Coordinates of all heavy atoms in Angstrom, one line a residue:
M749 N 0.9 -1.2 0.0 CA 0.1 0.0 -0.1 C 0.8 1.2 0.0 O 1.8 1.4 0.9 CB -0.9 0.0 1.2 CG -1.8 1.3 1.5 SD -2.8 1.3 2.9 CE -3.9 0.0 2.6
P750 N 0.6 2.2 -0.9 CA 1.4 3.4 -0.9 C 1.3 4.2 0.4 O 0.3 4.2 1.1 CB 0.7 4.2 -2.0 CG 0.1 3.2 -2.9 CD -0.3 2.2 -2.0
F751 N 2.4 4.8 0.7 CA 2.4 5.4 2.1 C 1.4 6.5 2.2 O 0.7 6.6 3.3 CB 3.8 6.1 2.4 CG 4.0 6.7 3.8 CD1 4.3 5.8 4.7 CD2 3.7 8.0 4.0 CE1 4.4 6.3 6.1 CE2 3.9 8.6 5.3 CZ 4.2 7.6 6.4
A752 N 1.1 7.3 1.3 CA 0.1 8.4 1.4 C -1.4 7.7 1.7 O -2.2 8.6 2.1 CB 0.0 9.2 0.1
Q753 N -1.6 6.5 1.3 CA -2.9 5.9 1.4 C -3.2 5.3 2.9 O -4.3 4.9 3.2 CB -3.2 5.0 0.5 CG -3.4 5.4 -0.9 CD -3.6 4.4 -2.1 OE1 -3.5 3.2 -1.8 NE2 -3.9 4.8 -3.2
R754 N -2.0 5.2 3.7 CA -2.1 4.6 4.9 C -2.8 5.5 5.9 O -2.7 6.8 5.7 CB -0.7 4.2 5.5 CG 0.0 3.2 4.7 CD 1.4 3.0 5.2 NE 1.5 2.5 6.5 CZ 2.6 2.2 7.1 NH1 3.7 2.4 6.6 NH2 2.5 1.8 8.3
L755 N -3.4 5.2 6.8 CA -4.1 5.9 8.0 C -3.1 6.4 8.9 O -3.0 7.6 9.3 CB -5.3 5.2 8.6 CG -6.4 4.9 7.6 CD1 -7.5 4.1 8.4 CD2 -7.1 6.0 7.1
T756 N -2.3 5.5 9.4 CA -1.3 5.7 10.5 C 0.0 5.1 10.1 O 0.1 4.2 9.3 CB -1.7 5.2 11.9 OG1 -2.0 3.8 11.8 CG2 -3.1 5.9 12.3
C757 N 1.1 5.5 10.9 CA 2.4 4.9 10.8 C 3.1 4.9 12.1 O 2.6 5.7 13.0 CB 3.3 5.4 9.6 SG 3.7 7.1 10.0
T758 N 4.0 4.2 12.3 CA 4.8 4.3 13.5 C 5.8 5.6 13.4 O 6.0 6.1 12.5 CB 5.7 3.1 13.6 OG1 6.8 3.1 12.6 CG2 4.9 1.8 13.7
I759 N 6.2 5.9 14.7 CA 7.2 7.0 14.7 C 8.4 6.7 13.9 O 8.8 7.6 13.1 CB 7.7 7.1 16.3 CG1 6.5 7.6 17.1 CG2 8.8 8.2 16.4 CD1 5.9 9.0 16.9
G760 N 9.0 5.6 14.0 CA 10.0 5.2 13.1 C 9.7 5.4 11.7 O 10.7 5.8 10.9
D761 N 8.6 4.9 11.3 CA 8.2 5.1 9.8 C 8.1 6.5 9.4 O 8.6 7.0 8.3 CB 6.8 4.4 9.4 CG 7.0 2.8 9.4 OD1 8.0 2.3 9.4 OD2 5.9 2.3 9.6
A762 N 7.6 7.4 10.3 CA 7.5 8.8 10.1 C 8.8 9.4 10.0 O 9.0 10.2 9.2 CB 6.6 9.4 11.2
C763 N 9.8 9.0 10.7 CA 11.2 9.5 10.7 C 11.8 9.3 9.3 O 12.3 10.0 8.7 CB 12.0 9.0 11.9 SG 11.6 9.6 13.3
E764 N 11.5 8.0 8.9 CA 12.1 7.4 7.7 C 11.5 8.2 6.4 O 12.4 8.5 5.6 CB 11.8 5.9 7.5 CG 12.5 5.3 6.4 CD 12.4 3.9 6.4 OE1 12.3 3.3 7.4 OE2 12.2 3.3 5.2
V765 N 10.3 8.4 6.4 CA 9.7 9.1 5.2 C 10.0 10.5 5.1 O 10.0 11.0 4.0 CB 8.3 8.7 5.0 CG1 8.1 7.2 4.8 CG2 7.4 9.2 6.2
T766 N 10.0 11.1 6.2 CA 10.3 12.6 6.1 C 11.6 13.0 6.3 O 12.0 14.1 6.0 CB 9.5 13.4 7.5 OG1 10.1 12.7 8.6 CG2 8.1 13.0 7.4
G767 N 12.6 12.1 6.7 CA 13.9 12.4 6.9 C 14.2 13.2 8.2 O 15.4 13.6 8.4
L768 N 13.2 13.3 9.1 CA 13.4 14.0 10.4 C 13.9 13.0 11.4 O 13.6 11.8 11.4 CB 12.2 14.7 10.8 CG 11.5 15.8 9.9 CD1 10.1 16.0 10.4 CD2 12.4 16.9 9.8
G769 N 14.7 13.5 12.4 CA 15.0 12.8 13.5 C 13.8 12.6 14.6 O 13.0 13.3 14.5
R770 N 13.9 11.6 15.4 CA 13.0 11.4 16.5 C 12.7 12.6 17.4 O 11.6 13.0 17.7 CB 13.4 10.1 17.3 CG 13.3 8.9 16.5 CD 13.8 7.7 17.4 NE 12.8 7.2 18.4 CZ 11.8 6.5 18.0 NH1 11.7 5.9 16.8 NH2 10.8 6.0 18.8
T771 N 13.8 13.3 17.7 CA 13.7 14.5 18.5 C 12.9 15.6 18.0 O 12.0 16.0 18.5 CB 15.1 15.0 18.9 OG1 15.7 14.0 19.6 CG2 14.9 16.2 19.9
K772 N 13.1 15.9 16.6 CA 12.4 16.8 15.8 C 11.0 16.4 15.7 O 10.0 17.2 15.8 CB 13.0 17.0 14.5 CG 12.5 18.3 13.8 CD 12.5 19.5 14.6 CE 12.1 20.7 13.9 NZ 12.1 21.9 14.6
L773 N 10.7 15.1 15.5 CA 9.3 14.6 15.3 C 8.6 14.8 16.5 O 7.4 15.3 16.5 CB 9.5 13.2 14.8 CG 8.1 12.6 14.2 CD1 7.9 13.2 12.9 CD2 8.1 11.0 14.1
Y774 N 9.1 14.4 17.8 CA 8.4 14.5 19.0 C 8.3 16.0 19.3 O 7.2 16.4 19.9 CB 9.3 13.9 20.1 CG 8.9 12.4 20.2 CD1 10.0 11.4 19.9 CD2 7.8 11.8 20.5 CE1 9.7 10.2 19.9 CE2 7.3 10.5 20.5 CZ 8.4 9.6 20.2 OH 8.1 8.4 20.4
E775 N 9.2 17.0 18.8 CA 9.0 18.3 19.1 C 7.8 18.9 18.2 O 7.0 19.6 18.7 CB 10.2 19.0 18.7 CG 10.3 20.5 18.7 CD 11.5 21.2 18.3 OE1 12.6 20.8 18.7 OE2 11.4 22.1 17.3
L776 N 7.6 18.4 17.1 CA 6.5 18.7 16.3 C 5.1 18.2 16.8 O 4.2 18.8 16.7 CB 6.6 18.3 14.8 CG 7.8 19.2 14.1 CD1 8.1 18.3 12.8 CD2 7.3 20.5 13.7
I777 N 5.2 17.0 17.3 CA 4.0 16.4 18.0 C 3.7 17.3 19.2 O 2.5 17.5 19.4 CB 4.4 14.9 18.4 CG1 4.4 14.0 17.1 CG2 3.2 14.4 19.3 CD1 5.0 12.7 17.3
G778 N 4.6 17.6 20.0 CA 4.3 18.5 21.2 C 3.8 19.6 20.9 O 2.9 20.4 21.5
A779 N 4.2 20.4 19.8 CA 3.7 21.6 19.3 C 2.3 21.6 18.6 O 1.7 22.5 18.2 CB 4.6 22.4 18.4
G780 N 1.9 20.3 18.3 CA 0.5 20.1 17.8 C 0.5 20.2 16.3 O -0.6 20.2 15.7
R781 N 1.7 20.2 15.6 CA 1.7 20.3 14.3 C 1.7 18.8 13.5 O 1.3 18.7 12.4 CB 3.1 20.9 13.8 CG 3.1 22.3 14.2 CD 4.1 23.3 13.8 NE 4.1 23.3 12.3 CZ 5.1 23.7 11.5 NH1 6.3 23.8 12.0 NH2 5.0 23.6 10.3
I782 N 2.0 17.8 14.3 CA 1.7 16.5 13.8 C 0.8 15.8 14.8 O 0.8 15.8 16.0 CB 3.1 15.6 13.8 CG1 4.0 16.2 12.7 CG2 2.8 14.1 13.5 CD1 5.3 15.7 12.6
V783 N -0.3 15.1 14.3 CA -1.3 14.4 15.1 C -1.0 12.9 15.4 O -0.5 12.3 14.3 CB -2.6 14.6 14.4 CG1 -3.8 13.9 15.2 CG2 -3.0 16.0 14.1
T784 N -1.2 12.5 16.5 CA -0.9 11.1 16.9 C -2.0 10.6 17.5 O -2.8 11.3 18.0 CB 0.4 10.9 17.7 OG1 0.1 11.5 18.9 CG2 1.7 11.4 17.1
T785 N -2.2 9.3 17.7 CA -3.2 8.5 18.4 C -2.4 7.3 19.2 O -1.4 7.0 18.6 CB -4.3 8.0 17.5 OG1 -5.3 7.5 18.3 CG2 -3.7 6.9 16.6
T786 N -2.9 7.1 20.4 CA -2.3 6.0 21.0 C -3.2 4.8 21.2 O -4.5 5.0 21.6 CB -1.9 6.5 22.4 OG1 -1.1 7.8 22.3 CG2 -1.3 5.5 23.3
I787 N -2.8 3.6 21.0 CA -3.7 2.4 21.0 C -2.7 1.6 21.8 O -1.7 1.1 21.6 CB -3.9 1.8 19.7 CG1 -4.7 2.8 18.7 CG2 -4.6 0.5 19.8 CD1 -4.9 2.3 17.3
G788 N -3.4 1.3 23.1 CA -2.6 0.6 24.1 C -1.4 1.4 24.4 O -1.6 2.6 24.8
R789 N -0.1 0.8 24.4 CA 1.0 1.6 24.6 C 1.7 2.1 23.4 O 2.8 2.7 23.5 CB 1.9 0.8 25.4 CG 1.5 0.4 26.8 CD 2.4 -0.6 27.6 NE 3.7 -0.4 27.3 CZ 4.7 -1.1 27.7 NH1 4.4 -2.2 28.5 NH2 6.1 -0.9 27.4
R790 N 1.1 1.9 22.2 CA 1.7 2.2 20.9 C 1.1 3.5 20.5 O 0.1 3.8 20.3 CB 1.4 1.1 20.0 CG 2.2 1.2 18.7 CD 1.9 0.0 17.9 NE 2.9 0.0 16.8 CZ 2.9 -0.8 15.8 NH1 2.1 -1.8 15.9 NH2 3.7 -0.7 14.8
R791 N 2.1 4.4 20.1 CA 1.8 5.8 19.6 C 2.0 5.7 18.0 O 2.9 5.3 17.5 CB 2.7 6.8 20.1 CG 2.5 8.2 19.5 CD 3.2 9.4 20.0 NE 2.7 9.6 21.3 CZ 2.9 10.8 21.9 NH1 3.6 11.8 21.3 NH2 2.2 11.2 23.1
L792 N 0.8 6.1 17.3 CA 0.9 6.1 15.9 C 0.7 7.4 15.4 O -0.1 8.2 15.9 CB -0.2 5.1 15.4 CG -0.1 3.6 15.8 CD1 -1.4 3.0 15.4 CD2 1.1 3.1 15.2
V793 N 1.3 7.8 14.2 CA 1.2 9.1 13.7 C 0.2 9.1 12.6 O 0.2 8.0 12.0 CB 2.6 9.5 13.0 CG1 2.5 10.9 12.3 CG2 3.7 9.6 14.2
V794 N -0.8 10.0 12.7 CA -1.7 10.1 11.5 C -1.1 10.7 10.2 O -0.5 11.8 10.3 CB -2.9 11.1 12.1 CG1 -3.9 11.3 10.9 CG2 -3.6 10.5 13.2
V795 N -1.2 9.9 9.2 CA -0.3 10.1 8.1 C -0.8 11.4 7.4 O 0.0 12.2 7.0 CB -0.3 8.9 7.0 CG1 0.2 9.3 5.6 CG2 0.3 7.7 7.6
R796 N -2.1 11.7 7.5 CA -2.7 12.9 6.9 C -2.0 14.2 7.5 O -1.8 15.1 6.7 CB -4.0 13.0 7.1 CG -4.8 12.5 5.8 CD -6.4 12.6 6.0 NE -6.7 11.5 6.8 CZ -7.8 11.5 7.6 NH1 -8.6 12.4 7.8 NH2 -8.1 10.4 8.3
S797 N -1.7 14.1 8.8 CA -1.0 15.3 9.5 C 0.3 15.4 9.0 O 0.8 16.6 8.8 CB -1.0 15.1 10.9 OG -0.3 14.1 11.4
L798 N 1.2 14.4 8.6 CA 2.5 14.5 8.1 C 2.4 15.1 6.7 O 3.2 15.9 6.3 CB 3.2 13.1 7.8 CG 3.7 12.4 9.1 CD1 4.2 11.0 8.8 CD2 4.8 13.4 9.7
L799 N 1.4 14.6 5.8 CA 1.4 15.2 4.6 C 0.9 16.6 4.5 O 1.5 17.4 3.8 CB 0.3 14.2 3.7 CG 0.6 12.9 3.5 CD1 -0.5 12.2 2.9 CD2 1.9 12.7 2.7
A800 N 0.0 17.1 5.4 CA -0.3 18.5 5.7 C 0.9 19.2 5.9 O 1.0 20.4 5.5 CB -1.5 18.5 6.6
L801 N 1.6 18.8 7.0 CA 2.9 19.5 7.4 C 3.8 19.8 6.3 O 4.3 20.8 6.1 CB 3.6 18.7 8.4 CG 5.0 19.3 9.0 CD1 4.6 20.5 9.9 CD2 5.7 18.3 9.7
L802 N 4.0 18.7 5.4 CA 4.9 18.9 4.4 C 4.3 19.7 3.2 O 5.1 20.6 2.7 CB 5.2 17.5 3.7 CG 6.0 16.6 4.8 CD1 6.2 15.2 4.0 CD2 7.4 17.1 4.9
D803 N 3.0 19.7 3.0 CA 2.4 20.6 2.0 C 2.5 22.0 2.5 O 2.7 23.0 1.5 CB 1.0 20.2 1.8 CG 0.8 19.0 1.0 OD1 1.7 18.6 0.4 OD2 -0.3 18.4 1.1
A804 N 2.3 22.4 3.7 CA 2.3 23.6 4.2 C 3.8 24.2 4.2 O 4.0 25.4 3.8 CB 1.9 23.6 5.7
N805 N 4.8 23.4 4.5 CA 6.1 23.9 4.3 C 6.6 24.0 2.8 O 7.4 25.0 2.5 CB 7.1 22.8 5.0 CG 7.0 22.9 6.4 OD1 6.8 24.1 7.0 ND2 7.3 22.0 7.2
M806 N 6.0 23.3 1.9 CA 6.4 23.5 0.4 C 5.8 24.7 -0.2 O 6.3 25.4 -1.0 CB 6.0 22.3 -0.3 CG 6.8 21.0 0.0 SD 6.6 19.7 -1.0 CE 7.2 20.3 -2.6
S807 N 4.6 25.2 0.4 CA 3.9 26.4 -0.1 C 4.6 27.7 0.4 O 4.1 28.7 -0.1 CB 2.4 26.2 0.2 OG 2.2 26.4 1.6
N808 N 5.3 27.5 1.5 CA 5.9 28.7 1.9 C 7.1 29.2 1.2 O 7.9 28.7 0.7 CB 6.4 28.5 3.5 CG 5.2 28.5 4.4 OD1 4.1 28.9 4.0 ND2 5.3 27.9 5.4

């Protein structure tokens, strides 16, 4: 399945596809720029929020 069609991904996957480090990714999550959800003890990144962040940065 293409990445853009996924609903969620792991923190590691988000780092890999964006090229960002874990620290920066968690900073963006803390600032509310990337949306996550927690299921059990696992934190998942909402892929749409990653795509929106990248789109916003490309239009600037």
Side-chain angles (χ1 to χ4, degrees):
M749 174 183 292
F751 186 80
Q753 292 181 354
R754 294 174 63 178
L755 297 176
T756 61
C757 67
T758 64
I759 297 290
D761 289 342
C763 290
E764 185 177 325
V765 298
T766 61
L768 297 172
R770 292 177 79 82
T771 302
K772 185 62 173 179
L773 197 69
Y774 278 111
E775 182 181 305
L776 292 168
I777 291 168
R781 297 192 58 201
I782 295 177
V783 179
T784 64
T785 186
T786 305
I787 299 175
R789 291 176 36 183
R790 190 171 190 183
R791 179 177 277 209
L792 298 171
V793 176
V794 177
V795 171
R796 266 183 277 153
S797 71
L798 281 178
L799 298 174
L801 175 73
L802 296 174
D803 285 342
N805 284 335
M806 291 187 71
S807 65
N808 287 338

